[in-house]
Amino acid sequence: MLFLRATSLLSLFLSAIAPAYADTCSEVRDNTDIQVSSPLQLAYTAEQTEYWSASCIALKPSCIIFPRSAAEVAAVFRVLNTNNEKFAVKSGGHSPNNYYASVDGGPLISTQYLDHVLLDPTTGIIDVGPGNRLDGIAKKLQGTGWTFVGGRIGNTGVGGLILGGGLSYMSAQYGWSASSAISYEVVLANGTIVTTSATSHPDLFTALKGGGNNFGVVTNYKLQAHPQADVYGGNLVFLRTPSLDAALLRAVRDFTEHNTDNKAAIIVTAERTNVDLIDSWILFLFYDGPESAVPPGTFANFTSLKPLTNTLRTQTYADLMAGSNWVVLKGFQVQIGTETVPLPGAADAQDLLIDGIHAHWRNVSGTTLAVPGIVASIAYQPFPKRIAQAARERGADLIDVDADADRVIIELNYAFLLPIDYDKMEGKMRETYGGIRERVVAWQAEGKLPDVFLPVFMNYGFYRQDYWGRLKQASRELAREVAERVDPAGLFRDRTGGWKP
Protein backbone atom coordinates (compact mmCIF):
# COMPACT_ATOMS: atom_id res chain seq x y z
CA MET A 1 0.00 0.00 0.00
CA LEU A 2 2.78 2.39 0.90
CA PHE A 3 4.57 1.39 -2.29
CA LEU A 4 1.46 2.17 -4.39
CA ARG A 5 1.06 5.54 -2.67
CA ALA A 6 4.73 6.37 -3.30
CA THR A 7 4.40 5.31 -6.92
CA SER A 8 1.31 7.48 -7.34
CA LEU A 9 3.06 10.45 -5.80
CA LEU A 10 6.06 9.90 -8.06
CA SER A 11 3.78 9.76 -11.09
CA LEU A 12 2.10 13.01 -10.08
CA PHE A 13 5.49 14.62 -9.56
CA LEU A 14 6.80 13.50 -12.93
CA SER A 15 3.66 14.64 -14.72
CA ALA A 16 3.95 18.01 -13.03
CA ILE A 17 7.51 18.58 -14.17
CA ALA A 18 7.11 17.01 -17.62
CA PRO A 19 6.07 20.30 -19.31
CA ALA A 20 9.37 21.83 -18.17
CA TYR A 21 11.20 19.30 -20.35
CA ALA A 22 8.88 19.92 -23.30
CA ASP A 23 9.93 23.55 -23.55
CA THR A 24 11.25 25.29 -26.65
CA CYS A 25 14.89 25.00 -25.62
CA SER A 26 14.69 21.23 -25.15
CA GLU A 27 12.58 20.61 -28.22
CA VAL A 28 14.87 22.60 -30.51
CA ARG A 29 18.02 21.12 -28.97
CA ASP A 30 16.79 17.53 -29.16
CA ASN A 31 15.00 17.54 -32.50
CA THR A 32 16.88 19.95 -34.77
CA ASP A 33 20.44 20.87 -35.69
CA ILE A 34 19.91 24.48 -34.59
CA GLN A 35 22.45 25.76 -32.08
CA VAL A 36 21.02 26.13 -28.58
CA SER A 37 23.14 27.56 -25.79
CA SER A 38 22.31 27.18 -22.11
CA PRO A 39 23.27 29.33 -19.11
CA LEU A 40 26.96 29.05 -18.17
CA GLN A 41 27.91 28.18 -21.74
CA LEU A 42 30.26 30.64 -23.43
CA ALA A 43 27.97 31.49 -26.36
CA TYR A 44 25.10 32.22 -23.97
CA THR A 45 27.22 34.44 -21.75
CA ALA A 46 28.73 36.35 -24.65
CA GLU A 47 25.41 37.01 -26.37
CA GLN A 48 23.64 37.96 -23.15
CA THR A 49 26.14 40.75 -22.51
CA GLU A 50 25.39 42.36 -25.89
CA TYR A 51 22.72 44.77 -24.71
CA TRP A 52 22.99 48.52 -24.31
CA SER A 53 21.28 48.42 -20.93
CA ALA A 54 22.42 46.35 -17.96
CA SER A 55 18.75 45.94 -17.03
CA CYS A 56 18.30 43.78 -20.15
CA ILE A 57 21.46 41.82 -19.35
CA ALA A 58 20.00 41.05 -15.92
CA LEU A 59 17.05 39.25 -17.52
CA LYS A 60 18.02 35.60 -18.00
CA PRO A 61 16.56 33.63 -20.90
CA SER A 62 16.12 29.90 -20.39
CA CYS A 63 18.39 29.41 -23.41
CA ILE A 64 19.60 31.33 -26.44
CA ILE A 65 18.78 29.89 -29.86
CA PHE A 66 21.03 30.78 -32.80
CA PRO A 67 19.27 30.07 -36.12
CA ARG A 68 21.29 30.43 -39.32
CA SER A 69 18.46 30.66 -41.88
CA ALA A 70 14.84 31.61 -42.30
CA ALA A 71 14.00 27.90 -42.31
CA GLU A 72 15.61 27.47 -38.89
CA VAL A 73 13.73 30.50 -37.52
CA ALA A 74 10.54 28.95 -38.87
CA ALA A 75 11.36 25.67 -37.12
CA VAL A 76 11.73 27.49 -33.81
CA PHE A 77 8.37 29.15 -34.22
CA ARG A 78 6.67 25.88 -35.00
CA VAL A 79 7.92 24.71 -31.60
CA LEU A 80 6.82 27.93 -29.89
CA ASN A 81 3.32 27.25 -31.21
CA THR A 82 3.18 24.09 -29.10
CA ASN A 83 3.63 25.90 -25.77
CA ASN A 84 2.88 29.20 -24.08
CA GLU A 85 6.38 30.39 -23.20
CA LYS A 86 7.40 34.02 -23.26
CA PHE A 87 10.19 34.67 -25.78
CA ALA A 88 12.16 37.47 -27.40
CA VAL A 89 13.93 38.06 -30.70
CA LYS A 90 17.17 40.03 -30.69
CA SER A 91 18.93 41.89 -33.49
CA GLY A 92 21.43 44.28 -31.88
CA GLY A 93 19.96 44.57 -28.40
CA HIS A 94 20.10 48.36 -28.47
CA SER A 95 16.57 48.89 -27.15
CA PRO A 96 16.92 49.55 -23.41
CA ASN A 97 13.25 48.71 -22.81
CA ASN A 98 13.14 45.48 -20.85
CA TYR A 99 11.47 42.56 -22.66
CA TYR A 100 11.48 44.27 -26.08
CA ALA A 101 14.50 42.26 -27.25
CA SER A 102 15.14 40.46 -23.97
CA VAL A 103 13.33 37.85 -21.91
CA ASP A 104 13.43 36.34 -18.45
CA GLY A 105 12.81 32.60 -18.18
CA GLY A 106 11.91 31.94 -21.80
CA PRO A 107 13.92 31.38 -24.99
CA LEU A 108 15.82 34.20 -26.66
CA ILE A 109 16.18 33.94 -30.44
CA SER A 110 19.42 35.62 -31.47
CA THR A 111 19.81 36.58 -35.11
CA GLN A 112 23.59 37.11 -34.85
CA TYR A 113 24.36 34.44 -37.48
CA LEU A 114 21.92 35.99 -39.96
CA ASP A 115 24.62 38.52 -40.74
CA HIS A 116 24.84 38.41 -44.52
CA VAL A 117 25.39 41.58 -46.57
CA LEU A 118 25.05 40.79 -50.29
CA LEU A 119 25.49 43.68 -52.73
CA ASP A 120 24.58 43.89 -56.39
CA PRO A 121 27.29 46.35 -57.44
CA THR A 122 25.38 47.35 -60.58
CA THR A 123 22.04 48.27 -59.02
CA GLY A 124 23.13 48.99 -55.45
CA ILE A 125 20.51 46.61 -54.09
CA ILE A 126 21.68 44.85 -50.92
CA ASP A 127 20.34 41.91 -48.98
CA VAL A 128 20.98 42.41 -45.28
CA GLY A 129 20.38 40.03 -42.39
CA PRO A 130 19.05 41.21 -39.00
CA GLY A 131 22.18 39.95 -37.26
CA ASN A 132 24.16 42.90 -38.59
CA ARG A 133 24.98 46.04 -36.70
CA LEU A 134 25.33 49.28 -38.62
CA ASP A 135 29.09 49.52 -38.30
CA GLY A 136 29.40 45.96 -39.60
CA ILE A 137 27.32 46.73 -42.70
CA ALA A 138 29.32 49.89 -43.35
CA LYS A 139 32.58 47.95 -43.09
CA LYS A 140 31.35 45.27 -45.49
CA LEU A 141 30.28 47.93 -48.00
CA GLN A 142 33.44 50.02 -47.66
CA GLY A 143 35.13 50.50 -51.01
CA THR A 144 32.07 49.50 -53.05
CA GLY A 145 30.87 53.06 -53.67
CA TRP A 146 27.52 52.25 -52.04
CA THR A 147 26.07 52.86 -48.60
CA PHE A 148 22.84 52.20 -46.73
CA VAL A 149 20.53 54.65 -44.99
CA GLY A 150 21.46 53.58 -41.49
CA GLY A 151 21.35 55.20 -38.09
CA ARG A 152 24.01 57.27 -36.38
CA ILE A 153 25.50 54.86 -33.81
CA GLY A 154 27.48 51.97 -35.28
CA ASN A 155 26.56 49.43 -32.59
CA THR A 156 22.84 49.68 -33.45
CA GLY A 157 21.17 46.52 -34.75
CA VAL A 158 19.69 46.78 -38.23
CA GLY A 159 16.49 44.90 -37.27
CA GLY A 160 15.23 47.21 -34.55
CA LEU A 161 16.35 50.28 -36.48
CA ILE A 162 14.37 49.55 -39.64
CA LEU A 163 11.27 48.12 -37.95
CA GLY A 164 11.03 51.34 -35.92
CA GLY A 165 11.48 53.53 -38.98
CA GLY A 166 15.10 54.57 -38.56
CA LEU A 167 16.34 58.16 -38.51
CA SER A 168 19.56 58.66 -40.45
CA TYR A 169 22.09 61.34 -41.26
CA MET A 170 20.82 60.79 -44.82
CA SER A 171 17.09 61.02 -44.07
CA ALA A 172 16.68 64.41 -45.75
CA GLN A 173 17.91 62.75 -48.94
CA TYR A 174 16.25 59.34 -48.69
CA GLY A 175 13.67 59.32 -45.90
CA TRP A 176 13.61 56.81 -43.06
CA SER A 177 15.92 53.81 -43.06
CA ALA A 178 12.75 51.80 -43.75
CA SER A 179 12.02 53.96 -46.80
CA SER A 180 14.86 52.21 -48.63
CA ALA A 181 13.26 48.78 -48.15
CA ILE A 182 12.37 46.97 -51.36
CA SER A 183 11.15 43.76 -49.75
CA TYR A 184 11.31 41.73 -46.54
CA GLU A 185 11.62 38.00 -46.03
CA VAL A 186 9.45 37.32 -42.97
CA VAL A 187 8.82 34.31 -40.77
CA LEU A 188 5.24 34.58 -39.52
CA ALA A 189 4.01 33.38 -36.14
CA ASN A 190 2.91 29.98 -37.50
CA GLY A 191 6.31 29.31 -39.09
CA THR A 192 5.30 30.27 -42.61
CA ILE A 193 7.95 32.15 -44.63
CA VAL A 194 6.70 34.93 -46.91
CA THR A 195 8.28 37.68 -48.98
CA THR A 196 6.49 40.99 -48.72
CA SER A 197 6.89 44.09 -50.88
CA ALA A 198 4.83 46.89 -52.41
CA THR A 199 3.24 44.30 -54.73
CA SER A 200 3.25 41.17 -52.56
CA HIS A 201 1.41 41.34 -49.24
CA PRO A 202 1.60 45.16 -49.46
CA ASP A 203 -0.26 45.80 -46.18
CA LEU A 204 2.28 43.71 -44.28
CA PHE A 205 5.08 45.54 -46.11
CA THR A 206 3.72 48.90 -44.92
CA ALA A 207 3.11 47.61 -41.38
CA LEU A 208 6.74 46.51 -41.07
CA LYS A 209 7.87 50.11 -41.64
CA GLY A 210 7.26 51.57 -38.21
CA GLY A 211 5.30 48.64 -36.78
CA GLY A 212 8.02 47.05 -34.67
CA ASN A 213 8.05 43.36 -33.74
CA ASN A 214 4.33 42.66 -34.06
CA PHE A 215 4.05 40.79 -37.32
CA GLY A 216 6.89 38.31 -37.66
CA VAL A 217 10.65 37.95 -37.71
CA VAL A 218 12.34 39.60 -40.68
CA THR A 219 15.19 37.36 -41.80
CA ASN A 220 16.25 39.40 -44.84
CA TYR A 221 15.99 43.09 -45.65
CA LYS A 222 16.33 43.89 -49.35
CA LEU A 223 17.34 47.54 -49.40
CA GLN A 224 18.21 50.13 -52.00
CA ALA A 225 21.70 51.42 -51.26
CA HIS A 226 22.89 54.79 -52.52
CA PRO A 227 26.14 56.00 -54.08
CA GLN A 228 28.66 57.37 -51.62
CA ALA A 229 32.33 58.19 -51.36
CA ASP A 230 34.00 59.81 -48.33
CA VAL A 231 31.98 61.83 -45.83
CA TYR A 232 32.75 64.73 -43.52
CA GLY A 233 31.80 64.38 -39.90
CA GLY A 234 32.71 64.19 -36.25
CA ASN A 235 32.01 65.90 -32.95
CA LEU A 236 32.21 69.34 -31.39
CA VAL A 237 32.42 69.47 -27.59
CA PHE A 238 31.66 72.54 -25.46
CA LEU A 239 31.51 73.26 -21.75
CA ARG A 240 28.05 74.49 -20.95
CA THR A 241 27.14 78.09 -20.14
CA PRO A 242 23.66 79.68 -20.17
CA SER A 243 24.60 81.85 -23.13
CA LEU A 244 25.88 78.81 -25.02
CA ASP A 245 22.58 77.03 -24.37
CA ALA A 246 20.75 79.87 -26.08
CA ALA A 247 23.18 80.11 -28.99
CA LEU A 248 23.15 76.38 -29.76
CA LEU A 249 19.38 76.00 -29.50
CA ARG A 250 18.82 78.99 -31.77
CA ALA A 251 21.29 77.40 -34.19
CA VAL A 252 19.27 74.14 -34.09
CA ARG A 253 16.09 76.06 -34.81
CA ASP A 254 17.65 77.98 -37.68
CA PHE A 255 19.29 74.89 -39.20
CA THR A 256 16.00 72.97 -39.12
CA GLU A 257 14.11 75.69 -40.97
CA HIS A 258 16.70 77.24 -43.23
CA ASN A 259 19.21 74.55 -44.22
CA THR A 260 18.54 73.63 -47.84
CA ASP A 261 21.40 71.19 -48.35
CA ASN A 262 19.94 67.73 -47.85
CA LYS A 263 23.42 66.25 -47.46
CA ALA A 264 23.97 68.07 -44.16
CA ALA A 265 22.74 66.78 -40.80
CA ILE A 266 23.26 67.57 -37.12
CA ILE A 267 22.48 66.24 -33.65
CA VAL A 268 22.91 68.69 -30.77
CA THR A 269 23.15 67.03 -27.36
CA ALA A 270 23.35 68.48 -23.86
CA GLU A 271 24.83 66.13 -21.28
CA ARG A 272 25.45 66.37 -17.56
CA THR A 273 26.92 63.94 -15.02
CA ASN A 274 27.83 63.90 -11.34
CA VAL A 275 31.44 63.07 -12.16
CA ASP A 276 33.21 66.37 -11.45
CA LEU A 277 29.81 67.95 -12.23
CA ILE A 278 30.53 67.77 -15.96
CA ASP A 279 27.99 69.85 -17.87
CA SER A 280 28.60 69.90 -21.60
CA TRP A 281 27.30 70.01 -25.13
CA ILE A 282 28.31 67.34 -27.64
CA LEU A 283 27.43 67.93 -31.27
CA PHE A 284 27.39 65.41 -34.12
CA LEU A 285 27.84 67.02 -37.54
CA PHE A 286 27.63 65.15 -40.84
CA TYR A 287 27.96 65.95 -44.51
CA ASP A 288 27.49 63.39 -47.27
CA GLY A 289 30.70 64.26 -49.06
CA PRO A 290 34.27 65.34 -48.26
CA GLU A 291 35.11 68.60 -46.50
CA SER A 292 35.87 70.22 -49.84
CA ALA A 293 32.25 69.69 -50.90
CA VAL A 294 30.67 71.32 -47.83
CA PRO A 295 29.20 74.70 -48.86
CA PRO A 296 30.68 77.59 -46.87
CA GLY A 297 28.65 78.45 -43.80
CA THR A 298 26.74 75.16 -43.59
CA PHE A 299 27.82 74.53 -40.00
CA ALA A 300 29.12 78.01 -39.17
CA ASN A 301 26.53 78.67 -36.45
CA PHE A 302 28.04 75.75 -34.53
CA THR A 303 31.75 75.83 -35.37
CA SER A 304 31.98 79.59 -34.75
CA LEU A 305 31.14 79.06 -31.07
CA LYS A 306 34.71 77.91 -30.39
CA PRO A 307 34.39 74.31 -29.18
CA LEU A 308 36.91 72.79 -26.80
CA THR A 309 37.20 69.76 -29.09
CA ASN A 310 36.64 69.50 -32.82
CA THR A 311 37.03 66.06 -34.45
CA LEU A 312 35.47 66.98 -37.80
CA ARG A 313 37.34 65.43 -40.71
CA THR A 314 36.92 63.73 -44.04
CA GLN A 315 36.66 59.98 -43.52
CA THR A 316 34.94 56.86 -44.79
CA TYR A 317 31.38 56.22 -43.71
CA ALA A 318 32.59 52.98 -42.08
CA ASP A 319 35.11 54.93 -39.98
CA LEU A 320 32.41 57.39 -38.98
CA MET A 321 30.13 54.57 -37.85
CA ALA A 322 32.89 52.80 -35.93
CA GLY A 323 33.93 56.07 -34.31
CA SER A 324 30.45 56.68 -32.88
CA ASN A 325 30.35 53.70 -30.52
CA TRP A 326 31.85 55.61 -27.60
CA VAL A 327 28.32 56.75 -26.75
CA VAL A 328 27.33 53.20 -25.68
CA LEU A 329 27.90 53.02 -21.89
CA LYS A 330 28.54 49.40 -21.00
CA GLY A 331 27.50 48.33 -17.52
CA PHE A 332 24.90 51.08 -17.06
CA GLN A 333 21.16 50.87 -16.61
CA VAL A 334 19.77 52.84 -19.55
CA GLN A 335 16.40 54.47 -20.11
CA ILE A 336 15.41 56.30 -23.27
CA GLY A 337 12.39 58.44 -24.08
CA THR A 338 11.36 60.92 -26.73
CA GLU A 339 9.07 63.69 -27.83
CA THR A 340 8.36 65.29 -31.16
CA VAL A 341 7.77 69.04 -31.12
CA PRO A 342 6.86 71.55 -33.82
CA LEU A 343 9.59 74.03 -34.64
CA PRO A 344 8.89 77.35 -32.93
CA GLY A 345 9.09 80.53 -34.93
CA ALA A 346 12.27 82.57 -34.64
CA ALA A 347 10.56 85.10 -32.38
CA ASP A 348 9.35 82.35 -30.03
CA ALA A 349 12.52 80.27 -29.89
CA GLN A 350 13.79 81.90 -26.68
CA ASP A 351 10.53 81.44 -24.73
CA LEU A 352 9.52 78.00 -25.99
CA LEU A 353 12.66 76.10 -26.86
CA ILE A 354 15.22 77.67 -24.57
CA ASP A 355 13.30 78.95 -21.53
CA GLY A 356 10.62 76.27 -21.91
CA ILE A 357 11.72 72.83 -23.03
CA HIS A 358 15.42 73.05 -22.28
CA ALA A 359 14.87 74.73 -18.92
CA HIS A 360 12.41 71.97 -18.01
CA TRP A 361 14.99 69.31 -18.88
CA ARG A 362 17.63 71.05 -16.79
CA ASN A 363 15.26 71.32 -13.84
CA VAL A 364 14.33 67.62 -13.88
CA SER A 365 17.79 66.30 -14.73
CA GLY A 366 19.21 68.49 -11.96
CA THR A 367 17.24 66.47 -9.42
CA THR A 368 19.00 63.26 -10.57
CA LEU A 369 22.60 64.32 -10.04
CA ALA A 370 22.92 62.47 -6.73
CA VAL A 371 22.09 59.15 -8.42
CA PRO A 372 25.28 57.04 -8.65
CA GLY A 373 26.86 57.17 -12.09
CA ILE A 374 24.15 59.36 -13.58
CA VAL A 375 24.55 60.57 -17.15
CA ALA A 376 21.57 62.66 -18.24
CA SER A 377 21.23 63.89 -21.82
CA ILE A 378 18.83 65.55 -24.21
CA ALA A 379 19.43 65.47 -27.96
CA TYR A 380 17.79 67.87 -30.40
CA GLN A 381 17.47 66.31 -33.85
CA PRO A 382 16.10 68.38 -36.74
CA PHE A 383 13.09 66.86 -38.48
CA PRO A 384 12.51 69.27 -41.35
CA LYS A 385 9.69 68.92 -43.86
CA ARG A 386 12.13 67.41 -46.31
CA ILE A 387 12.47 64.18 -44.32
CA ALA A 388 8.71 63.63 -44.47
CA GLN A 389 8.71 64.46 -48.18
CA ALA A 390 11.58 62.05 -48.89
CA ALA A 391 9.84 59.26 -46.97
CA ARG A 392 6.54 59.79 -48.79
CA GLU A 393 8.28 59.76 -52.16
CA ARG A 394 9.46 56.22 -51.40
CA GLY A 395 6.16 54.68 -50.35
CA ALA A 396 3.81 54.31 -47.42
CA ASP A 397 4.85 53.68 -43.83
CA LEU A 398 2.99 53.62 -40.52
CA ILE A 399 4.68 56.81 -39.28
CA ASP A 400 2.97 58.73 -42.10
CA VAL A 401 4.22 62.20 -41.18
CA ASP A 402 2.86 65.08 -43.23
CA ALA A 403 5.32 67.47 -44.84
CA ASP A 404 3.33 70.39 -43.42
CA ALA A 405 5.71 71.63 -40.73
CA ASP A 406 9.29 71.54 -39.56
CA ARG A 407 9.70 69.58 -36.37
CA VAL A 408 12.38 68.54 -33.90
CA ILE A 409 12.71 65.00 -32.54
CA ILE A 410 13.96 65.10 -28.96
CA GLU A 411 15.81 62.10 -27.55
CA LEU A 412 16.07 61.77 -23.75
CA ASN A 413 18.51 59.48 -21.99
CA TYR A 414 19.20 58.60 -18.37
CA ALA A 415 22.06 56.18 -17.68
CA PHE A 416 22.95 55.14 -14.13
CA LEU A 417 24.78 52.38 -12.31
CA LEU A 418 22.51 50.68 -9.79
CA PRO A 419 19.42 48.54 -10.52
CA ILE A 420 17.90 49.78 -7.28
CA ASP A 421 17.49 53.21 -8.88
CA TYR A 422 15.50 51.90 -11.87
CA ASP A 423 12.02 52.73 -10.56
CA LYS A 424 13.11 56.14 -9.32
CA MET A 425 14.65 56.98 -12.68
CA GLU A 426 11.59 55.70 -14.49
CA GLY A 427 9.66 58.37 -12.63
CA LYS A 428 12.19 60.99 -13.69
CA MET A 429 11.99 59.88 -17.32
CA ARG A 430 8.21 60.12 -17.29
CA GLU A 431 8.42 63.53 -15.64
CA THR A 432 10.86 64.68 -18.32
CA TYR A 433 9.02 63.65 -21.47
CA GLY A 434 5.63 64.24 -19.85
CA GLY A 435 6.57 67.82 -19.03
CA ILE A 436 7.69 68.45 -22.60
CA ARG A 437 4.45 67.02 -23.95
CA GLU A 438 2.32 69.11 -21.57
CA ARG A 439 4.10 72.27 -22.62
CA VAL A 440 3.74 71.55 -26.33
CA VAL A 441 0.02 70.78 -26.04
CA ALA A 442 -0.54 73.97 -24.03
CA TRP A 443 1.41 76.07 -26.53
CA GLN A 444 -0.57 74.58 -29.39
CA ALA A 445 -3.82 75.47 -27.61
CA GLU A 446 -2.53 79.02 -27.18
CA GLY A 447 -1.59 79.25 -30.84
CA LYS A 448 2.13 79.57 -30.12
CA LEU A 449 2.90 76.34 -31.98
CA PRO A 450 1.16 74.84 -35.02
CA ASP A 451 -1.36 72.11 -34.27
CA VAL A 452 0.29 69.40 -36.35
CA PHE A 453 0.71 65.63 -36.10
CA LEU A 454 3.39 64.73 -33.54
CA PRO A 455 4.07 60.98 -33.41
CA VAL A 456 6.26 59.26 -30.85
CA PHE A 457 9.36 58.09 -32.71
CA MET A 458 9.54 54.35 -31.97
CA ASN A 459 13.32 54.01 -32.00
CA TYR A 460 13.59 56.40 -29.04
CA GLY A 461 10.35 55.58 -27.22
CA PHE A 462 10.09 54.71 -23.53
CA TYR A 463 7.96 51.67 -22.90
CA ARG A 464 5.38 53.75 -21.01
CA GLN A 465 4.79 56.05 -23.97
CA ASP A 466 1.69 55.52 -26.08
CA TYR A 467 3.31 54.79 -29.43
CA TRP A 468 0.17 53.53 -31.16
CA GLY A 469 -2.09 56.15 -29.62
CA ARG A 470 0.08 58.88 -31.11
CA LEU A 471 -0.12 57.50 -34.66
CA LYS A 472 -2.92 58.34 -37.06
CA GLN A 473 -6.07 56.23 -36.82
CA ALA A 474 -5.54 54.76 -40.30
CA SER A 475 -2.08 53.51 -39.28
CA ARG A 476 -3.43 51.95 -36.08
CA GLU A 477 -6.26 50.23 -37.93
CA LEU A 478 -3.91 48.90 -40.61
CA ALA A 479 -1.53 47.52 -37.98
CA ARG A 480 -4.34 45.80 -36.05
CA GLU A 481 -5.82 44.28 -39.19
CA VAL A 482 -2.46 42.97 -40.38
CA ALA A 483 -1.57 41.60 -36.93
CA GLU A 484 -4.88 39.76 -36.66
CA ARG A 485 -4.44 38.31 -40.13
CA VAL A 486 -0.83 37.12 -39.88
CA ASP A 487 -0.90 36.23 -36.16
CA PRO A 488 -4.50 35.32 -35.27
CA ALA A 489 -3.44 33.44 -32.13
CA GLY A 490 -1.65 36.53 -30.81
CA LEU A 491 1.76 34.90 -30.34
CA PHE A 492 3.61 38.19 -30.85
CA ARG A 493 0.88 40.18 -29.12
CA ASP A 494 0.79 38.14 -25.92
CA ARG A 495 4.18 36.46 -25.55
CA THR A 496 6.86 39.01 -26.34
CA GLY A 497 7.45 42.65 -25.47
CA GLY A 498 7.07 45.81 -27.51
CA TRP A 499 4.28 48.27 -28.24
CA LYS A 500 1.14 46.39 -29.27
CA PRO A 501 -1.39 47.81 -31.77
Side-chain angles (χ1 to χ4, degrees):
M1 189 73 175
L2 288 173
F3 174 77
L4 292 175
R5 179 177 292 181
T7 302
S8 299
L9 289 173
L10 179 61
S11 298
L12 288 171
F13 174 73
L14 291 174
S15 64
I17 66 172
Y21 291 99
D23 62 14
T24 303
C25 299
S26 300
E27 288 293 310
V28 173
R29 181 186 294 111
D30 295 343
N31 298 301
T32 75
D33 294 325
I34 302 170
Q35 180 182 339
V36 179
S37 184
S38 301
L40 302 182
Q41 291 185 319
L42 182 59
Y44 178 106
T45 303
E47 179 67 4
Q48 190 59 16
T49 61
E50 291 295 329
Y51 286 102
W52 283 18
S53 178
S55 67
C56 297
I57 295 173
L59 302 175
K60 300 303 180 186
S62 53
C63 69
I64 302 181
I65 303 172
F66 296 90
R68 294 177 180 269
S69 67
E72 290 193 348
V73 174
V76 174
F77 273 85
R78 286 193 289 272
V79 174
L80 281 168
N81 275 279
T82 67
N83 59 50
N84 61 0
E85 290 181 307
K86 298 289 186 181
F87 70 94
V89 181
K90 179 184 177 187
S91 174
H94 61 274
S95 173
N97 289 316
N98 295 334
Y99 306 105
Y100 279 38
S102 52
V103 64
D104 197 26
L108 173 67
I109 302 167
S110 169
T111 63
Q112 75 162 262
Y113 291 128
L114 297 170
D115 61 349
H116 57 276
V117 177
L118 305 173
L119 170 69
D120 182 329
T122 302
T123 63
I125 293 174
I126 54 174
D127 288 283
V128 175
N132 287 285
R133 297 174 190 270
L134 304 185
D135 51 6
I137 301 174
K139 185 175 181 179
K140 291 172 183 177
L141 291 178
Q142 185 162 334
T144 66
W146 297 96
T147 195
F148 62 103
V149 182
R152 283 74 60 86
I153 307 301
N155 195 251
T156 303
V158 67
L161 176 82
I162 294 179
L163 294 178
L167 187 60
S168 171
Y169 285 130
M170 293 172 280
S171 284
Q173 296 181 80
Y174 309 119
W176 307 112
S177 297
S179 302
S180 291
I182 297 170
S183 67
Y184 301 109
E185 179 185 70
V186 191
V187 177
L188 302 180
N190 65 0
T192 301
I193 302 173
V194 302
T195 298
T196 179
S197 67
T199 57
S200 176
H201 310 287
D203 287 351
L204 176 58
F205 183 61
T206 299
L208 286 166
K209 295 190 284 185
N213 63 343
N214 290 292
F215 312 104
V217 178
V218 179
T219 50
N220 184 70
Y221 297 84
K222 188 178 290 291
L223 308 172
Q224 179 62 62
H226 300 280
Q228 187 178 69
D230 286 344
V231 302
Y232 178 67
N235 301 113
L236 306 180
V237 179
F238 303 83
L239 288 181
R240 182 259 173 183
T241 66
S243 61
L244 183 65
D245 291 354
L248 285 173
L249 289 171
R250 287 195 192 97
V252 170
R253 200 221 74 82
D254 291 345
F255 184 93
T256 305
E257 181 177 10
H258 298 301
N259 174 62
T260 58
D261 192 332
N262 296 331
K263 294 184 177 182
I266 63 168
I267 306 173
V268 176
T269 303
E271 183 171 288
R272 58 199 312 199
T273 77
N274 56 15
V275 178
D276 297 326
L277 297 179
I278 292 175
D279 204 346
S280 63
W281 286 90
I282 304 172
L283 278 58
F284 300 76
L285 306 184
F286 173 86
Y287 192 83
D288 189 3
E291 182 177 7
S292 59
V294 181
T298 299
F299 301 121
N301 285 350
F302 305 101
T303 56
S304 65
L305 296 174
K306 299 179 180 179
L308 289 176
T309 303
N310 182 339
T311 67
L312 293 172
R313 62 186 178 90
T314 298
Q315 56 189 305
T316 67
Y317 186 67
D319 287 343
L320 182 79
M321 285 287 98
S324 65
N325 287 331
W326 60 268
V327 305
V328 181
L329 299 174
K330 288 292 186 178
F332 282 71
Q333 319 291 319
V334 179
Q335 294 175 350
I336 185 171
T338 188
E339 265 304 334
T340 307
V341 304
L343 189 72
D348 295 321
Q350 178 72 39
D351 290 342
L352 305 190
L353 194 60
I354 301 166
D355 296 333
I357 290 173
H358 195 68
H360 166 69
W361 172 77
R362 287 197 63 83
N363 288 338
V364 179
S365 63
T367 67
T368 71
L369 294 180
V371 174
I374 188 70
V375 179
S377 68
I378 181 170
Y380 297 90
Q381 307 186 39
F383 184 14
K385 299 173 186 176
R386 176 56 198 159
I387 292 179
Q389 291 170 349
R392 286 177 171 272
E393 289 166 3
R394 287 162 176 80
D397 57 64
L398 288 188
I399 306 167
D400 195 26
V401 180
D402 307 291
D404 57 349
D406 295 314
R407 301 166 173 86
V408 176
I409 293 177
I410 294 176
E411 177 187 352
L412 303 161
N413 285 276
Y414 287 116
F416 48 96
L417 285 174
L418 303 179
I420 195 173
D421 290 319
Y422 196 92
D423 289 345
K424 173 183 178 180
M425 292 309 303
E426 175 174 323
K428 293 299 180 182
M429 174 59 78
R430 296 174 71 181
E431 182 181 354
T432 306
Y433 69 69
I436 294 173
R437 177 65 176 166
E438 290 168 4
R439 284 164 171 76
V440 169
V441 170
W443 292 332
Q444 287 179 316
E446 295 167 8
K448 295 180 179 179
L449 287 176
D451 186 11
V452 295
F453 173 53
L454 299 173
V456 170
F457 183 51
M458 179 182 280
N459 295 117
Y460 300 154
F462 191 57
Y463 80 101
R464 293 278 192 177
Q465 293 188 274
D466 187 7
Y467 174 75
W468 293 101
R470 294 276 293 275
L471 290 183
K472 295 176 181 176
Q473 182 176 352
S475 292
R476 295 196 300 271
E477 290 177 351
L478 174 65
R480 291 190 188 113
E481 189 277 326
V482 171
E484 290 172 1
R485 174 156 37 90
V486 301
D487 184 15
L491 186 144
F492 285 96
R493 180 191 65 224
D494 299 332
R495 292 170 56 185
T496 193
W499 292 279
K500 304 304 172 185

